[in-house]
Amino acid sequence: MKRPSLFRRCGHAPGALTPEDQATVDQFRAMLTALRNPEPWTPGHCQDVAVRVGGLLERAHTRPGDDHGRDLIAVALVDPDTPHASAYLRGHPLGYTDKGWLRCPTNTIIGVWQPAYAMLTHAAAGLDLPADVGMTPATYGLHVEARKPDCTGYTLLRIGPYTQTWLASRDADRLNSELAGRAATALPGYTLIAKGAPFDVSDHKLYTDPYDTDVVALLETAIEGAIEE
C-alpha cells in the first residue's frame, strides 16, 4: 500500500530536528511498531479493533454477545479520536455515524486498536469513508405486519434491536405460534405475521426493546391498541 510521505526533510538540512519534526518521526515509528507487533484480538472481549477498510485501517467498536465464532462479528466504525467531541464533529461529515452496526469478517481485523494506527485512517487523511466498506449491515429487528386480503396494511409492532439474529428468529417463531392459534380473532380483517427485518437505526424510536418485557405481552398490547383505534 503506497502512502504519501508524512515527513519530509532534506537530508543535508543543518541542525537538529525541530520538536514538531521529532514528534512526527516518533508518531511514524510508533505506527510501524504497532503494525509489526499487533496486539492479538480475542472474540468476546470488549475491545476496539483495527479493521481493514479498503487500503486503510479503521477503529471499530465491537458489540459484545454478537459474534459468530471466529468468522464474523458486529462492529461500528468510529472516528479514531473517539470518545472526544471533536471526533463526532469530524466523523459525522466523513460518514462514520451513517454506517451503523456492520457484519465484519474477522480476517480483516489486524488486532486490538492502538492509537498509533490513527494516522492510517480515512479521518486522518480527510477522506470520506467509502460507500462500500466491504461489510453488510448487522442490525436485527422483528416486525409484526398486519395485512388485508388485498395485500395492503401496515406494521403493527416493531421490536429491536436484537444482539443476534437467532434471538430475533426465536421471538418471531414464538409470536407466529401465538398468532396461529387465534388467526381469526387477533385483529379482525387482517392477517398478522411476525418476521425478521433490518433494524433501522434512524427509526429507533419506533422500536420496543425486546429485553424489557416478554414479546407476547408486547404483541397483546399492540393488538389491543389497534382494536381501540
Side-chain angles (χ1 to χ4, degrees):
M1 177 171 62
K2 185 177 180 181
R3 302 187 185 96
S5 175
L6 299 174
F7 173 72
R8 294 180 180 177
R9 179 182 172 86
C10 176
H12 302 289
L17 293 175
T18 66
E20 292 79 8
D21 288 343
Q22 187 62 56
T24 300
V25 170
D26 292 343
Q27 184 183 18
F28 189 75
R29 286 175 175 168
M31 180 270 291
L32 291 178
T33 299
L35 286 176
R36 291 168 181 162
N37 303 284
E39 181 181 346
W41 168 81
T42 303
H45 289 67
C46 301
Q47 295 172 298
D48 284 358
V49 295
V51 60
R52 298 185 188 91
V53 175
L56 299 175
L57 296 182
E58 291 299 335
R59 181 179 180 180
H61 289 329
T62 59
R63 184 159 63 188
D66 190 16
D67 63 75
H68 293 248
R70 291 186 170 272
D71 297 327
L72 293 169
I73 63 168
V75 303
L77 300 179
V78 296
D79 184 281
D81 291 334
T82 300
H84 301 296
S86 59
Y88 178 82
L89 294 176
R90 179 178 63 180
H92 183 73
L94 294 181
Y96 284 85
T97 56
D98 298 333
K99 300 299 182 184
W101 289 102
L102 302 168
R103 179 63 64 205
C104 175
T106 55
N107 61 10
T108 64
I109 296 173
I110 69 167
V112 175
W113 173 259
Q114 300 184 49
Y117 295 141
M119 66 166 56
L120 302 178
T121 63
H122 287 80
L127 299 173
D128 294 345
L129 281 177
D132 181 5
V133 294
M135 306 179 210
T136 57
T139 48
Y140 316 122
L142 173 58
H143 291 181
V144 177
E145 304 288 348
R147 290 288 177 262
K148 291 183 176 181
D150 62 0
C151 294
T152 61
Y154 64 100
T155 302
L156 175 69
L157 177 64
R158 292 177 173 86
I159 305 175
Y162 286 88
T163 56
Q164 295 185 355
T165 52
W166 72 267
L167 294 173
S169 297
R170 179 201 62 185
D171 281 356
D173 290 342
R174 287 187 62 202
L175 294 181
N176 283 324
S177 295
E178 178 74 17
L179 291 168
R182 47 182 298 189
T185 61
L187 192 59
Y190 290 88
T191 297
L192 302 185
I193 185 171
K195 59 183 181 180
F199 176 77
D200 191 340
V201 177
S202 63
D203 288 337
H204 68 277
K205 293 182 180 180
L206 300 178
Y207 286 79
T208 302
D209 190 331
Y211 304 106
D212 283 344
T213 187
D214 185 80
V215 292
V216 174
L218 292 176
L219 176 64
E220 292 292 344
T221 300
I223 291 174
E224 290 173 5
I227 293 174
E228 291 175 357
E229 291 178 359

